[in-house]
Amino acid sequence: MAQVQERVAAELDRIGPVVDELGRRFADAGHTLHLVGGPVRDAMLGRLQDDLDLTTSAHPDEVERLVKGWADAVWDIGRAFGTIGCRKGEWTVEITTYRSEAYSPDSRKPEVAYGTDLAGDLGRRDFTVNAMAVSLPDRRFDDPFGGIVDLAHQVLRTPGRPEDSFSDDPLRMMRAARFAAQLGFDVAPEVVAAMTAMAERIDVISAERVRDELVKLVCAPQPRRGLALLVETGLAERVLPELPALQLERDEHHRHKDVYEHSLTVLEQAIDLEERLAGPDGAGVPDFVVRFAALIHDIGKPRTRRFLSDGSVTFHHHDVVGAKLTRKRMKALRFSTEQVEAVSKLVELHLRFHGYGDGGWTDSAVRRYVRDAGDQLERLHILTRADCTTRNKRKADRLRRTYDDLEARIAVLAEQEELDAIRPDLDGNAIMTILGIGPGREVGEAYRFLLELRMDEGPQTPEAAEAALRAWWDARTP
């Protein structure tokens, strides 16, 4: 306990130049102000952050008046929910009026009402570890629901009955899974039971809010914990049904892998490799696209599973089917077009490497591999490597060496030919000049012919490309 107190004191000293002055401004105006939620929890865990959540007795108009002239910037995008945001130096601060909000049984939007005291505000929060507060500027600690004890035991529990909490805001069920993944905490049995019994209540939550929680979960340090909880409670069946569908019944001879467990393992192995995507400052990691692709790369298998007469199992074209399912699910969850296309491309291409064999691809095939992957090539490298979950060390080593060889060949060709920007050796203007034609369908056909020539034979001199183009044109022209 003493160590926790020291960590909190050190964190309060670190953020003191911001919160103490702000606390005095609110106190002088006759209002209370508390640091609350995640920042208090993370201070106890020794996890520093620059985003501060505060709660106050002041209503939004008064909050806005008090921070203007003090903050470097102020925004009110959350005013409808009682929140005013601002920035002070490097700090991002959100100040929310004491509130009480709940979802009516048939509504996708919460009804927001302002509360009157801190205890009521803390009582409506999701979990006890997020229901602790520190008053400002006097730094008095408030923990009416035993959050510090639950923090010490690393358990997620609701301040009141979980059924009441999840009825007020069903998204808290997904947040339980997300915090389990982020913090590595266990979820109390009564909370798991309520999540299971009330899973269908998640249907009233908008796709965008579900998506945001799913992204946070997948990008957490231990996503397997959270995903397994979603599957166990039946929530996954409602928000990402393709995941529990991977729990295929195994055939009596166990001739195919447990696809669900395999997918979770591929996700974890992809996480171990995603540092390849990080910039010099570590930016870009965690990477949702590569993690989500790893998680769902095999979602086409349930649709394509076939048992053969010899008892073996096939999943022909599960890559193509999986890409279609990926697009459908991600669009339903309102992901951006860029994310949908990136993940779908990775799912569609995740088997392509297995045609490489022992390095028998021609340079043309390697170029096509790079072209088809496009800007997802590095992620495809990660996914393909992570997809090897065999316990046969010799087989795993062979696959790793083979992929090393493919990457080496890509690097050599990239240095020689600028593979990242493969284009025909003649552009559209040159094509029209040589063939004496104007813009139209025929220019596109000629462009595609030259691109295929470039893929098959590598870079051409302008003279060779022109000769090939004229021969192709003469052969197709009546």
Side-chain angles (χ1 to χ4, degrees):
M1 186 66 71
Q3 188 178 29
V4 170
Q5 291 174 335
E6 290 176 5
R7 283 201 293 259
V8 173
E11 178 68 353
L12 288 173
D13 287 340
R14 185 179 76 92
I15 66 178
V18 174
V19 298
D20 289 346
E21 181 182 352
L22 195 56
R24 285 190 290 270
R25 292 175 74 92
F26 276 71
D28 291 345
H31 294 292
T32 56
L33 185 69
H34 291 80
L35 182 70
V36 72
V40 178
R41 178 199 69 220
D42 289 345
M44 293 182 175
L45 294 172
R47 293 156 38 123
L48 303 181
Q49 60 173 289
D50 295 334
D51 295 339
L52 305 177
D53 292 331
L54 306 176
T55 188
T56 180
S57 59
H59 285 201
D61 288 345
E62 181 70 359
V63 172
E64 189 172 26
R65 184 186 69 80
L66 288 170
V67 298
K68 279 187 173 178
W70 171 82
D72 299 327
V74 179
W75 53 90
D76 67 349
I77 191 171
R79 182 185 292 273
F81 298 98
T83 300
I84 298 296
C86 62
R87 179 176 54 80
K88 178 71 171 178
E90 63 184 297
W91 306 95
T92 299
V93 182
E94 288 195 345
I95 307 172
T96 302
T97 305
Y98 296 151
R99 67 188 186 190
S100 175
E101 64 182 35
Y103 281 79
S104 60
D106 57 353
S107 173
R108 283 180 173 265
K109 294 184 178 180
E111 299 172 357
V112 178
Y114 296 136
T116 58
D117 56 40
L118 176 67
D121 183 86
L122 296 181
R124 58 153 288 278
R125 293 182 178 266
D126 49 13
F127 303 105
T128 59
V129 296
N130 295 330
M132 299 179 286
V134 176
S135 61
L136 303 171
D138 58 351
R139 302 187 180 184
R140 188 184 69 255
F141 179 62
D142 285 280
D143 181 23
F145 301 102
I148 194 168
V149 175
D150 288 338
L151 196 73
H153 289 97
Q154 297 189 334
V155 63
L156 292 170
R157 201 182 308 277
T158 54
R161 289 186 350 117
E163 292 83 0
D164 295 336
S165 180
F166 298 154
S167 179
D168 287 347
D169 184 355
L171 191 66
R172 291 172 180 168
M173 295 186 287
M174 286 199 66
R175 283 208 290 266
R178 188 245 294 182
F179 283 125
Q182 283 184 336
L183 304 175
F185 286 11
D186 293 324
V187 180
E190 69 273 15
V191 175
V192 175
M195 292 168 66
T196 305
M198 302 177 66
E200 66 179 16
R201 281 284 288 150
I202 200 68
D203 294 348
V204 307
I205 302 298
S206 69
E208 291 82 358
R209 294 187 73 206
V210 169
R211 173 202 64 206
D212 291 346
E213 281 300 322
L214 185 61
V215 170
K216 291 174 184 177
L217 191 165
V218 170
C219 290
Q222 300 179 52
R224 179 191 279 261
R225 295 179 70 107
L227 293 165
L229 183 60
L230 291 182
V231 171
E232 174 190 349
T233 57
L235 281 162
E237 184 65 42
R238 312 196 77 86
V239 300
L240 189 63
E242 295 80 7
L243 182 60
L246 294 176
Q247 295 178 306
L248 302 174
E249 293 181 7
R250 299 181 64 174
D251 61 283
E252 60 180 344
H253 301 293
H254 303 290
R255 296 193 182 182
H256 71 270
K257 298 177 182 178
D258 182 324
V259 183
Y260 170 71
E261 288 296 328
H262 164 74
S263 298
L264 293 177
T265 300
V266 173
L267 167 60
E268 291 178 322
Q269 293 185 169
I271 292 172
D272 291 338
L273 293 169
E274 70 180 350
E275 63 185 19
R276 293 173 56 143
L277 300 170
D281 58 353
V285 173
D287 185 86
F288 172 76
V289 169
V290 77
R291 290 189 181 202
F292 199 56
L295 176 65
I296 65 173
H297 72 284
D298 275 344
I299 63 171
K301 281 191 171 181
R303 292 275 187 94
T304 58
R305 183 173 61 158
R306 300 290 183 272
F307 291 98
L308 303 184
S309 58
D310 63 358
S312 61
V313 183
T314 66
F315 303 97
H316 293 315
H317 307 301
H318 77 268
D319 47 348
V320 177
V321 172
K324 292 179 180 178
L325 292 173
T326 296
R327 286 190 181 90
K328 182 178 179 181
R329 177 55 51 196
M330 292 187 73
K331 287 179 179 179
L333 288 170
R334 305 291 193 270
F335 280 96
S336 69
T337 300
E338 292 76 14
Q339 288 175 308
V340 172
E341 291 308 311
V343 177
S344 300
K345 178 181 288 188
L346 291 171
V347 172
E348 187 169 359
L349 294 178
H350 81 273
L351 288 181
R352 182 74 64 86
F353 160 71
H354 294 284
Y356 189 69
D358 293 322
W361 276 3
T362 62
D363 285 352
S364 172
V366 175
R367 293 186 192 101
R368 283 183 167 79
Y369 187 78
V370 174
R371 179 195 64 181
D372 292 346
D375 58 1
Q376 300 304 314
L377 181 62
E378 191 60 46
R379 287 183 173 121
L380 183 58
H381 290 334
I382 292 173
L383 175 58
T384 304
R385 288 180 179 277
D387 196 23
C388 174
T389 60
T390 178
R391 295 179 182 178
N392 184 321
K393 188 176 185 302
R394 290 181 61 187
K395 181 179 179 182
D397 288 344
R398 177 175 57 79
L399 286 170
R400 185 164 48 250
R401 288 193 303 269
T402 304
Y403 206 85
D404 287 344
D405 178 68
L406 175 58
E407 283 202 60
R409 288 185 63 188
I410 290 172
V412 170
L413 285 173
E415 184 176 354
Q416 294 173 347
E417 306 178 17
E418 298 181 355
L419 282 184
D420 290 341
I422 291 181
R423 299 288 186 275
D425 297 284
L426 300 173
D427 62 18
N429 290 329
I431 290 170
M432 289 187 288
T433 299
I434 292 170
L435 300 181
I437 60 176
R441 177 178 55 82
E442 293 170 325
V443 177
E445 292 177 1
Y447 187 93
R448 287 189 289 275
F449 161 74
L450 289 171
L451 180 59
E452 289 301 312
L453 181 68
R454 172 76 167 75
M455 288 290 173
D456 289 336
E457 301 181 12
Q460 308 286 308
T461 64
E463 294 77 15
E466 179 177 342
L469 175 63
R470 290 186 183 279
W472 168 82
W473 181 254
D474 290 342
R476 70 176 295 281
T477 303

Coordinates of all heavy atoms in Angstrom, one line a residue, residues 72-121:
D72 N -4.9 26.5 -23.5 CA -4.4 27.0 -24.8 C -5.4 26.8 -25.9 O -5.4 27.5 -26.9 CB -3.1 26.2 -25.2 CG -2.0 26.4 -24.2 OD1 -1.9 27.5 -23.6 OD2 -1.3 25.4 -23.9
A73 N -6.3 25.8 -25.7 CA -7.4 25.6 -26.7 C -8.6 24.9 -25.9 O -8.4 24.2 -25.0 CB -6.9 24.7 -27.8
V74 N -9.8 25.2 -26.4 CA -11.0 24.6 -25.8 C -11.9 24.1 -26.8 O -12.0 24.7 -27.9 CB -11.7 25.7 -24.9 CG1 -13.0 25.1 -24.3 CG2 -10.8 26.3 -23.9
W75 N -12.5 23.0 -26.6 CA -13.5 22.4 -27.5 C -14.7 21.8 -26.8 O -14.6 21.4 -25.6 CB -12.9 21.4 -28.5 CG -12.2 20.3 -27.8 CD1 -12.7 19.1 -27.3 CD2 -10.8 20.2 -27.4 NE1 -11.8 18.3 -26.8 CE2 -10.6 19.0 -26.8 CE3 -9.7 21.1 -27.5 CZ2 -9.4 18.6 -26.3 CZ3 -8.5 20.7 -27.0 CH2 -8.3 19.5 -26.4
D76 N -15.9 21.8 -27.4 CA -17.1 21.4 -26.7 C -17.8 20.3 -27.5 O -19.0 20.2 -27.4 CB -18.0 22.6 -26.5 CG -18.6 23.2 -27.8 OD1 -18.1 22.7 -28.9 OD2 -19.5 24.0 -27.7
I77 N -17.1 19.5 -28.2 CA -17.7 18.4 -29.0 C -18.5 17.4 -28.1 O -19.4 16.8 -28.5 CB -16.6 17.7 -29.8 CG1 -17.3 16.8 -30.8 CG2 -15.7 16.9 -28.9 CD1 -16.3 16.1 -31.8
G78 N -18.1 17.4 -26.8 CA -18.8 16.5 -25.9 C -19.9 17.1 -25.0 O -20.3 16.6 -24.0
R79 N -20.2 18.4 -25.4 CA -21.1 19.2 -24.5 C -22.4 18.4 -24.2 O -23.0 18.5 -23.1 CB -21.4 20.5 -25.2 CG -22.3 21.4 -24.3 CD -22.7 22.7 -25.1 NE -21.5 23.5 -25.3 CZ -21.0 24.4 -24.4 NH1 -21.7 24.6 -23.3 NH2 -20.0 25.2 -24.7
A80 N -23.0 17.7 -25.2 CA -24.2 17.0 -25.0 C -24.2 16.0 -23.9 O -25.2 15.6 -23.3 CB -24.7 16.4 -26.3
F81 N -22.9 15.5 -23.7 CA -22.7 14.5 -22.6 C -22.1 15.2 -21.4 O -21.6 14.5 -20.5 CB -21.8 13.4 -23.1 CG -22.4 12.6 -24.3 CD1 -22.1 12.9 -25.5 CD2 -23.4 11.7 -24.0 CE1 -22.6 12.3 -26.6 CE2 -24.0 11.0 -25.1 CZ -23.6 11.3 -26.4
G82 N -22.1 16.5 -21.3 CA -21.6 17.2 -20.1 C -20.1 17.4 -20.1 O -19.6 17.7 -19.0
T83 N -19.4 17.2 -21.2 CA -18.0 17.3 -21.3 C -17.4 18.5 -22.1 O -17.9 18.7 -23.2 CB -17.4 16.0 -21.9 OG1 -17.8 14.9 -21.1 CG2 -15.9 16.0 -21.9
I84 N -16.5 19.2 -21.5 CA -15.7 20.2 -22.1 C -14.3 19.8 -22.2 O -13.7 19.4 -21.1 CB -15.9 21.6 -21.4 CG1 -17.3 22.0 -21.4 CG2 -15.0 22.6 -22.1 CD1 -17.9 22.3 -22.7
G85 N -13.7 19.8 -23.4 CA -12.3 19.5 -23.5 C -11.4 20.7 -23.7 O -11.8 21.7 -24.1
C86 N -10.1 20.5 -23.3 CA -9.2 21.6 -23.5 C -7.8 21.1 -23.5 O -7.5 19.9 -23.1 CB -9.3 22.7 -22.4 SG -9.0 22.1 -20.7
R87 N -6.8 21.9 -23.9 CA -5.4 21.6 -23.9 C -4.6 22.6 -23.2 O -4.9 23.8 -23.4 CB -4.9 21.4 -25.4 CG -3.5 21.1 -25.5 CD -3.1 20.9 -26.9 NE -3.4 22.0 -27.8 CZ -2.7 23.1 -27.9 NH1 -1.6 23.3 -27.1 NH2 -3.1 24.1 -28.7
K88 N -3.7 22.2 -22.4 CA -2.8 23.1 -21.7 C -1.4 22.5 -21.8 O -1.1 21.5 -21.2 CB -3.2 23.1 -20.2 CG -2.3 24.0 -19.3 CD -2.5 25.5 -19.6 CE -1.8 26.4 -18.6 NZ -1.9 27.8 -18.9
G89 N -0.6 23.2 -22.7 CA 0.7 22.7 -23.0 C 0.6 21.3 -23.6 O -0.1 21.1 -24.6
E90 N 1.3 20.3 -23.0 CA 1.3 19.0 -23.5 C 0.1 18.2 -23.0 O -0.1 17.0 -23.4 CB 2.5 18.2 -23.1 CG 2.7 18.1 -21.6 CD 4.0 17.5 -21.2 OE1 4.3 16.3 -21.6 OE2 4.8 18.1 -20.5
W91 N -0.7 18.7 -22.1 CA -1.8 18.0 -21.5 C -3.1 18.2 -22.2 O -3.5 19.3 -22.6 CB -2.0 18.5 -20.0 CG -0.7 18.5 -19.2 CD1 0.2 19.5 -19.0 CD2 -0.1 17.3 -18.6 NE1 1.2 19.1 -18.3 CE2 1.1 17.7 -18.0 CE3 -0.6 16.0 -18.4 CZ2 1.9 16.9 -17.2 CZ3 0.2 15.2 -17.6 CH2 1.4 15.6 -17.1
T92 N -3.8 17.0 -22.3 CA -5.2 17.1 -22.8 C -6.1 16.8 -21.6 O -5.9 15.8 -20.9 CB -5.4 16.0 -23.9 OG1 -4.6 16.3 -25.0 CG2 -6.9 16.0 -24.4
V93 N -7.1 17.7 -21.4 CA -7.9 17.6 -20.2 C -9.4 17.6 -20.7 O -9.8 18.4 -21.5 CB -7.7 18.8 -19.3 CG1 -8.5 18.7 -18.1 CG2 -6.2 19.0 -19.0
E94 N -10.1 16.6 -20.1 CA -11.6 16.5 -20.3 C -12.3 16.7 -19.0 O -12.0 16.0 -18.0 CB -12.0 15.2 -21.0 CG -11.6 15.1 -22.4 CD -12.3 14.0 -23.2 OE1 -12.9 13.1 -22.5 OE2 -12.3 14.0 -24.4
I95 N -13.2 17.7 -18.9 CA -13.9 18.0 -17.6 C -15.3 17.7 -17.8 O -16.0 18.3 -18.7 CB -13.6 19.4 -17.2 CG1 -12.1 19.7 -17.2 CG2 -14.3 19.7 -15.9 CD1 -11.8 21.2 -17.0
T96 N -15.9 16.8 -17.0 CA -17.3 16.3 -17.2 C -18.1 16.6 -15.9 O -17.6 16.3 -14.8 CB -17.3 14.8 -17.5 OG1 -16.6 14.6 -18.7 CG2 -18.8 14.4 -17.7
T97 N -19.2 17.2 -16.1 CA -20.1 17.5 -15.0 C -20.6 16.2 -14.4 O -20.8 15.2 -15.1 CB -21.3 18.3 -15.5 OG1 -20.9 19.5 -16.1 CG2 -22.3 18.7 -14.3
Y98 N -20.7 16.1 -13.0 CA -21.3 15.0 -12.4 C -22.5 14.6 -13.1 O -23.4 15.4 -13.5 CB -21.7 15.3 -10.9 CG -20.7 15.7 -10.0 CD1 -21.0 16.6 -8.9 CD2 -19.4 15.2 -10.1 CE1 -20.0 17.0 -8.0 CE2 -18.4 15.6 -9.1 CZ -18.7 16.5 -8.1 OH -17.8 16.8 -7.2
R99 N -22.6 13.3 -13.4 CA -23.8 12.9 -14.3 C -24.3 11.5 -14.0 O -23.6 10.7 -13.3 CB -23.4 13.0 -15.7 CG -22.4 12.0 -16.2 CD -21.9 12.3 -17.6 NE -21.0 11.2 -18.1 CZ -20.3 11.3 -19.2 NH1 -20.4 12.4 -20.0 NH2 -19.6 10.3 -19.6
S100 N -25.4 11.3 -14.5 CA -26.1 9.9 -14.4 C -26.7 9.7 -15.8 O -27.5 10.5 -16.2 CB -27.1 9.9 -13.3 OG -27.8 8.7 -13.4
E101 N -26.3 8.6 -16.4 CA -26.8 8.3 -17.8 C -27.2 6.9 -17.9 O -26.7 6.0 -17.2 CB -25.8 8.6 -18.9 CG -24.5 7.8 -18.8 CD -23.5 8.1 -19.9 OE1 -23.4 9.3 -20.2 OE2 -22.9 7.2 -20.4
A102 N -28.2 6.6 -18.7 CA -28.7 5.3 -18.8 C -29.3 5.1 -20.2 O -29.8 6.1 -20.8 CB -29.7 4.9 -17.7
Y103 N -29.3 3.9 -20.7 CA -30.0 3.6 -22.0 C -31.4 3.0 -21.7 O -31.6 2.2 -20.8 CB -29.2 2.5 -22.7 CG -28.0 3.0 -23.4 CD1 -26.8 3.2 -22.8 CD2 -28.0 3.2 -24.8 CE1 -25.7 3.7 -23.4 CE2 -26.9 3.7 -25.5 CZ -25.7 3.9 -24.8 OH -24.6 4.4 -25.4
S104 N -32.4 3.6 -22.3 CA -33.7 3.0 -22.3 C -33.6 1.7 -23.1 O -32.8 1.5 -23.9 CB -34.7 3.9 -22.8 OG -34.5 4.3 -24.1
P105 N -34.5 0.7 -22.8 CA -34.4 -0.6 -23.5 C -34.4 -0.6 -25.0 O -33.8 -1.4 -25.6 CB -35.7 -1.3 -23.0 CG -36.0 -0.6 -21.7 CD -35.6 0.8 -21.8
D106 N -34.9 0.5 -25.6 CA -35.0 0.4 -27.1 C -34.2 1.6 -27.7 O -34.4 1.9 -28.9 CB -36.4 0.5 -27.6 CG -37.2 1.7 -27.0 OD1 -36.6 2.4 -26.2 OD2 -38.3 1.9 -27.5
S107 N -33.3 2.2 -27.0 CA -32.6 3.4 -27.5 C -31.1 3.1 -27.7 O -30.5 2.3 -27.0 CB -32.7 4.6 -26.5 OG -31.9 5.6 -26.9
R108 N -30.6 3.7 -28.8 CA -29.1 3.5 -29.0 C -28.4 4.7 -28.5 O -27.1 4.8 -28.6 CB -28.9 3.5 -30.6 CG -29.2 2.1 -31.1 CD -28.9 2.1 -32.6 NE -29.1 0.7 -33.1 CZ -28.1 -0.1 -33.3 NH1 -26.9 0.2 -32.9 NH2 -28.3 -1.4 -33.8
K109 N -29.1 5.7 -27.9 CA -28.4 6.9 -27.3 C -28.7 7.0 -25.8 O -29.9 6.8 -25.4 CB -28.8 8.1 -28.0 CG -28.3 8.2 -29.5 CD -28.7 9.5 -30.2 CE -28.2 9.5 -31.6 NZ -28.6 10.8 -32.3
P110 N -27.7 7.3 -25.0 CA -28.0 7.4 -23.6 C -28.7 8.7 -23.2 O -28.6 9.7 -23.9 CB -26.6 7.4 -22.9 CG -25.7 8.0 -24.0 CD -26.3 7.5 -25.3
E111 N -29.5 8.6 -22.2 CA -30.2 9.7 -21.7 C -29.3 10.3 -20.6 O -29.0 9.6 -19.6 CB -31.6 9.4 -21.1 CG -32.5 8.8 -22.2 CD -33.8 8.2 -21.5 OE1 -33.9 8.3 -20.3 OE2 -34.7 7.8 -22.3
V112 N -28.9 11.6 -20.8 CA -27.9 12.2 -19.8 C -28.6 13.1 -18.9 O -29.4 13.9 -19.3 CB -26.8 12.9 -20.6 CG1 -25.8 13.6 -19.7 CG2 -26.1 12.0 -21.5
A113 N -28.3 12.9 -17.6 CA -28.8 13.9 -16.6 C -27.7 14.2 -15.7 O -26.8 13.4 -15.4 CB -30.0 13.2 -15.8
Y114 N -27.6 15.5 -15.2 CA -26.5 15.9 -14.3 C -26.7 15.4 -12.9 O -27.9 15.4 -12.4 CB -26.4 17.4 -14.4 CG -26.0 17.9 -15.7 CD1 -26.6 19.1 -16.3 CD2 -25.0 17.3 -16.5 CE1 -26.2 19.5 -17.5 CE2 -24.6 17.7 -17.7 CZ -25.2 18.9 -18.2 OH -24.9 19.3 -19.5
G115 N -25.7 15.0 -12.3 CA -25.7 14.6 -10.9 C -25.4 15.7 -10.0 O -25.2 16.8 -10.4
T116 N -25.5 15.4 -8.7 CA -25.3 16.5 -7.7 C -24.1 16.3 -6.8 O -23.7 17.2 -6.1 CB -26.5 16.6 -6.8 OG1 -26.8 15.3 -6.1 CG2 -27.8 17.0 -7.6
D117 N -23.5 15.1 -6.8 CA -22.4 14.9 -5.9 C -21.4 13.9 -6.5 O -21.7 13.2 -7.4 CB -22.8 14.5 -4.5 CG -23.7 13.2 -4.5 OD1 -23.4 12.3 -5.3 OD2 -24.7 13.2 -3.8
L118 N -20.2 13.8 -5.9 CA -19.2 12.9 -6.4 C -19.6 11.4 -6.2 O -19.3 10.6 -7.1 CB -17.9 13.2 -5.6 CG -16.7 12.3 -6.0 CD1 -16.2 12.5 -7.4 CD2 -15.5 12.5 -5.0
A119 N -20.1 11.1 -5.0 CA -20.5 9.7 -4.8 C -21.4 9.2 -5.8 O -21.3 8.0 -6.3 CB -21.1 9.6 -3.4
G120 N -22.4 10.0 -6.2 CA -23.3 9.5 -7.2 C -22.7 9.3 -8.6 O -23.0 8.4 -9.3
D121 N -21.7 10.2 -8.9 CA -21.0 10.1 -10.1 C -20.1 8.9 -10.2 O -20.1 8.2 -11.2 CB -20.1 11.4 -10.3 CG -19.4 11.4 -11.7 OD1 -20.0 11.8 -12.6 OD2 -18.2 10.9 -11.7

